[in-house]
């Protein structure tokens, strides 16, 4: 299955700017290819984004509580 950047954003809720950052930082693999002027992503990218988001939330479960407390 090939996915566009907008597909990844819609399916994961991760903003496009964050996906670009993750890609440049090497946290997700480079796009699988190019279709004209657009990059093509696949299910591996989708899974990588889901793992990143899940590990991020797991590593910092009290972030929301700290933000609410400081507000």
């Amino acid at each position: 299955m090939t996915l566009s950047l907008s597909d990844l954003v819609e399916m994961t809720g991760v903003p496009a700017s964050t996906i670009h950052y993750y890609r440049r930082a090497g946290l997700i693999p480079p796009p699988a290819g190019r279709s004209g002027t657009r990059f093509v992503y696949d299910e591996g990218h989708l899974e990588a984004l889901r793992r990143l988001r899940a590990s991020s939330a797991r590593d910092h479960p009290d972030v929301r509580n700290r933000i609410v407390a400081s507000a």
Side-chain angles (χ1 to χ4, degrees):
M1 168 185 354
T2 60
L3 303 168
S4 67
L5 181 61
S6 61
D7 292 334
L8 284 179
V9 169
E10 184 178 323
M11 296 172 90
T12 62
V14 177
S17 59
T18 303
I19 293 171
H20 289 302
Y21 169 78
Y22 287 164
R23 193 188 62 199
R24 285 189 308 269
L27 298 172
I28 63 172
R34 268 193 122 151
S35 171
T37 60
R38 304 178 119 192
F39 289 111
V40 177
Y41 299 89
D42 59 26
E43 291 180 15
H45 294 95
L46 184 62
E47 280 304 309
L49 286 169
R50 288 181 174 157
R51 279 193 312 268
L52 277 169
R53 292 307 245 194
S55 68
S56 172
R58 203 174 342 122
D59 294 341
H60 304 287
D62 65 333
V63 169
R64 181 183 183 280
N65 293 335
R66 289 186 306 183
I67 292 170
V68 171
S70 67

